[in-house]
Amino acid sequence: MFTPFSAISSRLIRRLAAGAAVALAATAAGVTSASAAPSAPAPVSCPGCWHPPLRTSWNWVLSSVPKAPFRTVSMYDVDGFNATSADVAALHASGIKAVCYLSAGTYENWRPDASQFPGSIVGSQNGWPGEKWLDIRDVQKSGSALRRIMDTRLDMCKQKGFDMVELDNVDGYSNSTGFPLHDDDQIYFNATLANDSHSRGLSVLQKNDNEQIPALLRYFDGALNEQCNQYKECTTAQNGSYGLDQYVAAGKPVFQAEYKLTTSQFCSKDNAGNFNGVRFDIDLTDKTFQPCR
């Protein structure tokens, strides 16, 4: 059964933990240094993938599987495990593209494939019972168990008819995971899963991890972000070297979610930046849906 707060509470906690978390993770693991990850793979192109335009209306519902009648939008982002092929077909029948939500960077003990994760790659809790960080360095190994599990999940998304993938929790390197993860480990992991998505004909969204936008932009087909207005981190001008505006400049859409701010507090900024901004309730129950445009 989907636990609605599992992905969401952890995201908020990660915001609070950012900055000092990398050092804490290394200390917890008793490691002061680690070998660098291999160079990230070359991007895999996907000319046959769905490439959403800069202006794409969307809805995000994870606490349950939405049923018709749907809101009048171009895209729905829903839980990849809980949604069935029939659910995806129903979205398509209404002219709506379907995005497959997966947690790529954490172990979730309620998922049907939970028993397949080796204990050695399951780390610290990320703020919610039953959910723990993963040692993403495992994908660098030949015969990686983690890559096999994630590729099987991508196969599931493809078989159900999804058009795109949202890979959540792909910023472990900036959190206390229990493993000495580095920025190059994260880039390698994210790029690998983006390529594996493209190899299956699925487009893919970069989820949060804004600091690595310059390195990841060429791998992803758009970005999904939470609360960049609340935390004043949406643009390159705000951050110095990275920003969601870099996706827009590349002709790729940005899907931006706010929970606490009112639309009057962020929509003018999102519209000016050509972001697809929406205010949702933090549980993503579809109770609140306030699009900026």
Side-chain angles (χ1 to χ4, degrees):
M1 179 177 178
F2 180 77
T3 304
F5 297 105
S6 61
I8 300 158
S9 295
S10 63
R11 290 193 292 264
L12 297 178
I13 288 172
R14 290 202 303 279
R15 293 258 181 215
L16 300 176
V22 174
L24 290 172
T27 301
V31 177
T32 57
S33 64
S35 58
S39 298
V44 171
S45 63
C46 189
C49 284
W50 173 56
H51 297 286
L54 283 175
R55 184 164 182 167
T56 299
S57 57
W58 68 299
N59 195 13
W60 197 12
V61 185
L62 296 185
S63 64
S64 61
V65 179
K67 305 294 183 182
F70 305 109
R71 295 190 186 275
T72 305
V73 296
S74 299
M75 181 184 102
Y76 261 72
D77 190 337
V78 302
D79 186 83
F81 279 99
N82 293 344
T84 65
S85 298
D87 294 321
V88 175
L91 287 167
H92 287 164
S94 294
I96 300 170
K97 297 293 186 180
V99 180
C100 186
Y101 170 90
L102 298 173
S103 180
T106 63
Y107 163 87
E108 302 164 308
N109 68 2
W110 64 90
R111 297 301 191 185
D113 59 0
S115 64
Q116 298 178 25
F117 287 84
S120 60
I121 68 170
V122 178
S124 302
Q125 286 192 347
N126 73 339
W128 191 258
E131 188 170 0
K132 298 181 179 182
W133 290 106
L134 292 168
D135 187 351
I136 60 171
R137 298 171 300 169
D138 188 76
V139 300
Q140 300 168 25
K141 301 175 182 176
S142 176
S144 163
L146 180 56
R147 188 172 183 181
R148 173 182 52 79
I149 293 167
M150 292 302 157
D151 281 353
T152 299
R153 291 182 172 190
L154 293 175
D155 288 338
M156 173 190 70
C157 295
K158 180 65 176 179
Q159 290 163 5
K160 288 182 177 181
F162 281 98
D163 305 286
M164 194 176 220
V165 181
E166 177 206 339
L167 301 173
D168 197 12
N169 298 307
V170 291
D171 55 355
Y173 81 104
S174 64
N175 291 275
S176 297
T177 62
F179 305 108
L181 304 181
H182 294 268
D183 55 355
D184 53 354
D185 295 315
Q186 195 70 62
I187 290 170
Y188 187 93
F189 178 75
N190 294 1
T192 295
L193 292 190
N195 280 352
D196 289 354
S197 299
H198 283 169
S199 295
R200 288 159 173 78
L202 295 164
S203 51
V204 60
L205 292 172
Q206 179 184 337
K207 175 67 174 300
N208 293 325
D209 194 17
N210 286 7
E211 293 83 354
Q212 295 191 325
I213 286 174
L216 296 174
L217 177 60
R218 60 191 183 133
Y219 294 95
F220 288 84
D221 304 289
L224 195 158
N225 179 267
E226 296 167 293
Q227 300 167 281
C228 76
N229 288 290
Q230 180 180 338
Y231 293 99
K232 298 180 175 60
E233 59 184 21
C234 295
T235 66
T236 305
Q238 290 173 312
N239 303 319
S241 61
Y242 61 88
L244 294 164
D245 54 306
Q246 294 174 18
Y247 266 99
V248 174
K252 300 178 180 181
V254 170
F255 301 95
Q256 210 288 115
E258 294 290 342
Y259 307 121
K260 292 187 177 181
L261 299 182
T262 64
T263 53
S264 64
Q265 292 175 303
F266 73 91
C267 278
S268 60
K269 297 175 184 177
D270 276 3
N271 290 346
N274 207 10
F275 298 167
N276 300 294
V278 183
R279 183 174 185 266
F280 299 104
D281 62 278
I282 198 168
D283 303 337
L284 298 178
T285 63
D286 205 20
K287 178 179 65 178
T288 302
F289 177 73
Q290 299 174 354
C292 291
R293 58 186 188 185

